[in-house]
Amino acid sequence: MKRTAGTTVTDTSPDPETEEVPKTEERRESKESKESRESEESEEHGGHEEPHGDGENAGNGETEEATGTTGASPRRTPWLRVLAGVLTVALLATGATLFVKGQRLRDTPATSNHALTDTEATDRVTGEVGSALSKVFSYGPRSTAATKETAKRVLAGKALQQYAALYGQVEKQAADQKLTLTTQVVHAGVTRLGTGSAHLLVFLDQVYEREGKAATTAAAQLSVTAELRGGRWVVVEITSR
């Protein structure tokens, strides 16, 4: 406090030392408060990490994840059941179709044709039919009667009837013209072979000889049907091709 003439003046200027202390104190407290807040925020963020997301879902990660995991199952289960049912029906339908097709395939003529599978039976029918045709289509001026008897053993049905109708003329020509006919089976193929019947395609070479003249050769092709009778193959139909 200073005195002047007639006036008392109060000295209010702050003491530098007194003023410096509060400011230092205040800055220190402010710094500590800031560090404390940063530490608390760091602990909050570090100790309780928020899941990704925003809005109401932020901070509720565990609940959302659990809901997503358990909630998807009730939605998927009906679709899985429907899909499994459809696949089962499809498999059953496919199996039934394949069974029917397989049964039809087993019943087709191709699968019942033993000429494709039974080599022994095929060889037997071609051998017996080929031998029969060679005998009934071979004769001479003095062997027509023997040929006729052979035909009765190896031919039957329509084939025997046709042969008998024509052979009367053959006997007369063979005796008058001194005609000799020799027939040889070049190839015989079984086109179809069942348990008691067979169809064959037969290729023949025939040589005609007349007394005093040169021999003549001709080829013939026959479609033949044979049946198994009494343990042997008998020709029942002959068609010229």
Side-chain angles (χ1 to χ4, degrees):
M1 186 181 303
K2 298 179 179 181
R3 293 180 179 272
T4 58
T7 304
T8 302
V9 179
T10 303
D11 188 2
T12 60
S13 58
D15 189 353
E17 296 180 358
T18 305
E19 184 68 17
E20 183 66 21
V21 173
K23 288 183 179 181
T24 304
E25 298 267 338
E26 182 178 356
R27 285 197 298 269
R28 185 179 302 160
E29 290 178 357
S30 176
K31 184 176 181 181
E32 291 178 354
S33 299
K34 183 177 179 180
E35 292 177 352
S36 177
R37 285 196 303 272
E38 289 178 353
S39 177
E40 291 176 356
E41 289 177 359
S42 176
E43 291 177 357
E44 290 178 356
H45 288 288
H48 303 281
E49 183 178 354
E50 293 183 359
H52 295 289
D54 51 37
E56 295 180 358
N57 293 331
N60 194 22
E62 294 181 358
T63 304
E64 182 180 1
E65 183 179 359
T67 304
T69 303
T70 58
S73 179
R75 288 196 299 270
R76 290 198 194 100
T77 301
W79 286 106
L80 292 176
R81 290 176 180 174
V82 171
L83 181 59
V86 171
L87 289 177
T88 301
V89 173
L91 289 174
L92 290 175
T94 302
T97 302
L98 292 176
F99 176 79
V100 172
K101 289 183 177 180
Q103 190 67 28
R104 289 177 180 175
L105 183 61
R106 286 192 292 271
D107 295 337
T108 57
T111 56
S112 61
N113 187 2
H114 299 296
L116 303 176
T117 57
D118 194 337
T119 304
E120 183 178 355
T122 302
D123 292 342
R124 179 186 174 189
V125 67
T126 53
E128 293 186 8
V129 169
S131 176
L133 295 176
S134 296
K135 290 177 180 179
V136 299
F137 290 118
S138 297
Y139 53 83
R142 290 178 294 273
S143 62
T144 54
T147 302
K148 184 187 294 186
E149 292 299 320
T150 300
K152 292 178 182 179
R153 294 194 307 269
V154 299
L155 303 181
K158 186 178 180 180
L160 182 58
Q161 295 172 3
Q162 293 173 337
Y163 188 86
L166 295 174
Y167 199 71
Q169 300 176 6
V170 170
E171 283 184 301
K172 188 175 185 314
Q173 290 177 355
D176 294 343
Q177 300 177 14
K178 306 298 180 180
L179 180 63
T180 300
L181 176 65
T182 304
T183 299
Q184 181 181 2
V185 175
V186 178
H187 180 73
V190 181
T191 58
R192 179 173 173 78
L193 176 61
T195 55
S197 64
H199 298 276
L200 301 90
L201 185 61
V202 183
F203 297 87
L204 308 173
D205 277 347
Q206 295 180 307
V207 181
Y208 294 89
E209 294 181 280
R210 289 181 181 178
E211 189 174 354
K213 293 185 177 181
T216 302
T217 303
Q221 183 178 345
L222 305 176
S223 292
V224 179
T225 301
E227 292 182 356
L228 188 61
R229 298 183 180 183
R232 61 187 180 88
W233 289 98
V234 177
V235 176
V236 297
E237 187 173 354
I238 301 174
T239 303
S240 179
R241 295 174 65 90

